[in-house]
Amino acid sequence: MSKITTLLSHLQAADLDMAVFSDPVSINYLTGFYSDPHERQLFLFISPESEPLLFVPALDSERAIKKVDFPVVGYVDSENPWKKISATLSAKNYKHIGLEFDHLILTKYQGLKTVFEHATFDNLTPIINRMRLIKSADEIQKMRIAGNWADKAVQIGFEAISGDKTETDIIAEIEFAMKREGLEMSFETMVLTGHNAANPHGIPGPHRVENNALLLFDLGVMANGYASDMTRTVAVGQPDQFQKDIYALTLEAQQAALAKIKPGVTAQEVDRAARQVIEKAGYGEYFNHRLGHGIGMDVHEFPSIMEGNDLVLEEGMCFSVEPGIYIPEKVGVRIEDCGYVTQNGFEVFTDTSKELLYFEP
């Protein structure tokens, strides 16, 4: 209950009568119970005036009851969930409600308006973001384990490299191996060959691994409820000098950013450290995304490591550092590690070499 106790202090400081959580990951963070309700309704109600309440689809009730030590209310598909929530909370007169604006879809919002007819709604997202921002030693250890699995997954990908295989062939081998370990990927695995890697969000397909080109791997694994995320770009055959130069420049940019990170530095200063390396070489326009994103129970969390974000870094913050250079029809390179801010710097969760590795087609 310690996280809920911390949350209650935030609610009182914000003069909120109740917090209503709708993001399954936020609910998991606060309670240890996770479920994807799909089109059904899943809410966690927390108020300083009463014990928490978890509202779940009936098919999740038994599992939820075993996981939490406060009331669980379930509903069957034929019931109106909003009427059941209203009946459960009927004795209360909540006026000032916090909702997760960044997660809440319009139909859920409209349903909650029928429950809290006379309430005003405030954005709860900054409060839960701030709570999740600083990771505990236990969380960091879980993320180390997830990072170790990412290293194993990308090694499987390296071993699968062959000119006879397509991008999706290699992805299938990686994901099958992780499935056999009882693990899920933290997002859709990307393996992109040659020019296809020049799109930062390229879509893998039936493209066979190109010879004398670069091959990009972007993947992550969920372990113990925490995500990993890494990118490595490797050589197949003998890429030309231009491709190798772009790789070296991207690595220099990442190293500059990693060296910049420590408590007291701002997020935008870290972004600038990488971006200035690439801009100085004349390729600034081809680094067209933020340097990094937060990571934890979600693969993308608060904060963004980017220009314009003056958030001051603190020990325990976890995020990615992933500069990239994407020149259409020529080359695409990204190098990414996630890690956490230490007392004096930054420690990454992934150990796979960042030397340009060469593989036979």
Side-chain angles (χ1 to χ4, degrees):
M1 290 288 286
S2 60
K3 290 174 181 174
I4 291 179
T5 301
T6 301
L7 175 69
L8 288 172
S9 67
H10 287 295
L11 299 186
Q12 290 171 329
D15 195 29
L16 289 172
D17 299 322
M18 173 174 282
V20 182
F21 289 95
S22 54
D23 181 357
V25 178
S26 295
I27 294 171
N28 186 16
Y29 174 79
L30 291 165
T31 70
F33 171 78
Y34 178 80
S35 175
D36 181 350
H38 302 290
E39 74 280 6
R40 298 178 174 93
Q41 307 306 325
L42 172 69
F43 294 106
L44 174 64
F45 299 93
I46 299 177
S47 170
E49 303 302 322
S50 59
E51 61 184 334
L53 172 71
L54 185 59
F55 185 82
V56 301
L59 50 84
D60 284 326
S61 294
E62 184 177 352
R63 190 163 58 88
I65 289 167
K66 292 179 180 178
K67 198 69 179 178
V68 304
D69 57 0
F70 50 81
V72 173
V73 173
Y75 81 100
V76 297
D77 291 344
S78 58
E79 289 182 287
N80 183 315
W82 313 112
K83 288 183 178 179
K84 190 155 189 177
I85 293 170
S86 294
T88 304
L89 302 175
S90 60
K92 309 297 182 183
N93 187 24
Y94 300 106
K95 296 293 187 182
H96 198 186
I97 310 291
L99 306 178
E100 291 183 282
F101 284 15
D102 283 15
H103 178 265
L104 201 65
I105 63 173
L106 189 56
T107 52
K108 291 182 187 289
Y109 174 73
Q110 290 174 331
L112 289 170
K113 282 181 69 176
T114 68
V115 174
F116 304 106
E117 293 183 78
H118 306 294
T120 58
F121 298 112
D122 280 2
N123 189 6
L124 193 59
T125 297
I127 291 176
I128 192 64
N129 277 351
R130 182 66 209 184
M131 285 184 62
R132 290 170 60 178
L133 178 61
I134 307 297
K135 269 61 176 182
S136 67
D138 177 66
E139 289 180 295
I140 288 170
Q141 179 58 25
K142 289 175 179 176
M143 294 178 75
R144 283 196 184 103
I145 293 169
N148 289 339
W149 279 111
D151 283 325
K152 293 174 182 177
V154 82
Q155 186 61 42
I156 290 164
F158 291 168
E159 293 170 359
I161 292 172
S162 166
D164 294 331
K165 292 179 181 175
T166 66
E167 295 166 334
T168 49
D169 287 337
I170 296 174
I171 291 170
E173 294 197 30
I174 294 169
E175 296 191 349
F176 178 69
M178 291 299 102
K179 281 283 191 184
R180 292 193 65 165
E181 297 288 348
L183 298 167
E184 299 287 339
M185 310 307 291
S186 52
F187 57 94
E188 291 190 13
T189 303
M190 292 202 303
V191 175
L192 304 171
T193 185
H195 295 172
N196 202 27
N199 183 338
H201 278 173
I203 300 175
H207 316 99
R208 293 194 182 278
V209 172
E210 293 182 27
N211 191 18
N212 301 325
L214 299 180
L215 181 64
L216 185 150
F217 292 79
D218 189 351
L219 56 79
V221 178
M222 292 295 300
N224 301 307
Y226 284 79
S228 56
D229 184 6
M230 69 178 299
T231 306
R232 291 294 186 270
T233 306
V234 301
V236 179
Q238 291 295 324
D240 61 31
Q241 190 60 47
F242 177 70
Q243 293 176 78
K244 291 188 282 189
D245 288 346
I246 293 299
Y247 183 90
L249 182 62
T250 306
L251 180 57
E252 181 185 351
Q254 198 211 29
Q255 290 171 333
L258 292 171
K260 185 72 175 178
I261 301 169
K262 63 181 180 180
V265 172
T266 64
Q268 66 182 357
E269 288 176 306
V270 179
D271 182 281
R272 286 174 190 166
R275 202 166 299 277
Q276 286 171 355
V277 171
I278 295 172
E279 289 176 345
K280 184 177 179 181
Y283 296 102
E285 67 182 290
Y286 302 111
F287 178 17
N288 55 11
H289 56 75
R290 63 188 175 182
L291 178 68
H293 56 81
I295 189 169
M297 297 183 88
D298 268 327
V299 71
H300 280 197
E301 291 189 356
F302 177 81
S304 288
I305 308 301
M306 65 181 185
E307 182 63 40
N309 186 1
D310 59 2
L311 176 74
V312 177
L313 301 185
E314 300 175 49
E315 190 174 350
M317 289 184 181
C318 298
F319 50 83
S320 69
V321 179
E322 49 180 303
I325 300 175
Y326 316 93
I327 305 175
E329 303 304 317
K330 290 187 177 180
V331 65
V333 175
R334 183 166 61 255
I335 303 170
E336 174 188 15
D337 293 284
C338 294
Y340 70 100
V341 181
T342 66
Q343 188 175 5
N344 301 306
F346 192 70
E347 184 172 326
V348 299
F349 298 127
T350 38
D351 297 322
T352 301
S353 175
K354 287 180 281 193
E355 290 182 27
L356 183 56
L357 302 177
Y358 287 80
F359 295 88
E360 291 300 319

